[in-house]
Amino acid sequence: MAFAKVGVRNGLTLAALLMIAACSGAEDESAAGGPGGMPQLPVTVANPLVREVTEWDDYVGRFEAIERVEVRPRASGFLQRAHFTDGQFVRQGQLLFTIDARPSQAALDQARAQLARAQATLTNARTELARSRTLAAAQAASQEEVESRTAAVRAGEADIAAANASIRAAQLNVGFTRVTAPISGRVSQRMVDPGNSVTADQTILTTIVSVSPLHFTFEGSEASLLGYERRGDTLLGSPVRIKLQGSEDYAYTGRIDFVDNALSTGSGTISVRAVVANSDNLLRPGLFGQLQLAASEPAPAILVPDTAIVTDGARRVVYVVDAKNVVQARPVELGAVVDGLRVVRSGLRQQDRIVVNGVQRAQPGSPVQAQPGRIGPNGQVVTPQGQGQPQGAAPAGAAPEAKK
């Protein structure tokens, strides 16, 4: 009987100890910040930026010369000399090549001699006509003779006109032995060396391309074209800005001056062209570049860093921390990138606190330690201490994350 009482007393004591331990564990779990004793991880939160921006559509295209000329000779003969350096800038009318002019000069001299003969013949015909008219007036010559002499004078005048035309043609041929630049621009290398024979209107001597301004051509999609038309925008005259491959700045500006009259049936795109100034002559035809076309008028927009955006299947979400520091996944509709920040068309408000650093540590429905910060104009996250952190960097003092 005594042994039974001792067993009951020990059982009650063990139950009491288990209850105390359970209460202590619950208190420790609550203090730790979540089920399983997981601590609340620190993240940096900030309000989205709101400022007036102009959205731009991006296109890849290529620079082209407005004028491109294949320089061909107008006279046949042997090439005597080239008067330029390969690749130099030439002015319109500048001498480029000379062709042996002796055959053309001989033809010109022959035409001048024929003119002199025709003039002598005409002078003699006029003298005989005057004599015939005098004799006819004295009835010493027939009227038929006068008419014959008159026809001879008219033939002589025609011969002189033909001789003058031959002289002008010969002079042109002599002038064609001097090949000049038809436009101003940058000349290519010579394709025929002096001493070779060239054929009029066939042999290509070199090429010249204009350098300022230049055209920038690109292909626009059917959806983009319809979007501009629905908004009532006119592409012609729209401003554009262009940057070269490997450059960060859109250093060149221009305006749309041509939109093709039909879309390509194969690719569903339309050819568009802009005129770009090239005052420093650094641009060359054939260079690729990235063009931005203004897609909207300046308007207020919500901007967030790209690192604050999470891909959830087909959705794009941003983690928002509520008043109780609990993470919520907010679906958003994204726009273009402006100065390193992503435009959010819908899904966010200016007063929302979004996770801008430590996105990997935030889980929807879980509490976090929200450390305040702000988004700089260039997308850099600035902490209250005034030290900027690059996008995606962990806050100071946070434990490093393990790599998966």
Side-chain angles (χ1 to χ4, degrees), residues 268-314:
T269 59
I270 189 168
S271 180
V272 186
R273 189 182 70 194
V275 176
V276 183
N278 185 27
S279 56
D280 53 7
N281 291 334
L282 295 180
L283 298 176
R284 292 177 180 267
L287 283 176
F288 282 89
Q290 183 174 347
L291 175 143
Q292 285 191 334
L293 173 64
S296 66
E297 296 293 332
I302 293 179
L303 304 171
V304 300
D306 260 336
T307 52
I309 301 169
V310 180
T311 300
D312 182 13

Side-chain angles (χ1 to χ4, degrees), residues 19-303:
M19 292 180 61
I20 294 173
C23 292
S24 176
E27 292 176 358
D28 292 342
E29 180 179 320
S30 177
M38 293 296 294
Q40 295 181 359
L41 297 178
V43 297
T44 304
V45 298
N47 298 120
L49 281 182
V50 177
R51 70 182 186 198
E52 194 173 74
V53 299
T54 300
E55 293 191 37
W56 302 81
D57 289 335
D58 293 325
Y59 300 94
V60 175
R62 186 172 61 181
F63 288 98
E64 295 180 353
I66 294 180
E67 296 178 298
R68 184 182 185 277
V69 177
E70 292 180 342
V71 180
R72 303 172 187 261
R74 299 290 304 276
S76 298
F78 286 91
L79 193 65
Q80 283 188 328
R81 185 181 176 186
H83 299 270
F84 66 93
T85 303
D86 294 349
Q88 80 173 76
F89 184 85
V90 296
R91 297 288 183 184
Q92 184 178 7
Q94 180 176 334
L95 180 63
L96 301 179
F97 297 94
T98 52
I99 300 172
D100 186 4
R102 290 176 295 179
S104 299
Q105 185 63 48
L108 176 60
D109 295 340
Q110 183 179 6
R112 287 172 175 169
Q114 290 175 351
L115 174 63
R117 176 182 294 180
Q119 288 173 340
T121 302
L122 177 61
T123 300
N124 184 54
R126 285 174 176 171
T127 301
E128 291 182 352
L129 175 61
R131 184 183 300 115
S132 296
R133 285 175 176 173
T134 302
L135 294 174
Q139 295 184 353
S142 64
Q143 188 64 30
E144 290 79 3
E145 181 180 350
V146 173
E147 292 177 354
S148 176
R149 302 299 183 188
T150 302
V153 170
R154 292 173 180 171
E157 292 174 346
D159 290 340
I160 288 180
N164 284 324
S166 297
I167 290 176
R168 289 193 296 270
Q171 288 174 336
L172 285 176
N173 288 331
V174 172
F176 289 156
T177 61
R178 293 170 51 87
V179 181
T180 59
I183 62 172
S184 297
R186 194 174 300 279
V187 66
S188 181
Q189 63 182 353
R190 66 176 184 270
M191 300 180 183
V192 180
D193 293 325
N196 289 284
S197 176
V198 296
T199 304
D201 302 327
Q202 294 185 18
T203 307
I204 300 177
L205 301 177
T206 187
T207 58
I208 303 175
V209 295
S210 60
V211 294
S212 181
L214 290 178
H215 280 153
F216 187 88
T217 59
F218 61 96
E219 299 293 325
S221 66
E222 179 180 354
S224 299
L225 177 65
L226 293 176
Y228 289 122
E229 292 179 347
R230 290 191 187 101
R231 293 193 299 267
D233 296 340
T234 302
L235 283 180
L236 289 177
S238 298
V240 298
R241 58 184 187 181
I242 303 170
K243 71 175 181 179
L244 300 179
Q245 298 293 326
S247 176
E248 297 295 333
D249 299 327
Y250 289 87
Y252 299 95
T253 59
R255 289 189 176 275
I256 301 295
D257 76 323
F258 169 75
V259 179
D260 209 348
N261 57 1
L263 280 81
S264 170
T265 56
S267 60
T269 59
I270 189 168
S271 180
V272 186
R273 189 182 70 194
V275 176
V276 183
N278 185 27
S279 56
D280 53 7
N281 291 334
L282 295 180
L283 298 176
R284 292 177 180 267
L287 283 176
F288 282 89
Q290 183 174 347
L291 175 143
Q292 285 191 334
L293 173 64
S296 66
E297 296 293 332
I302 293 179
L303 304 171

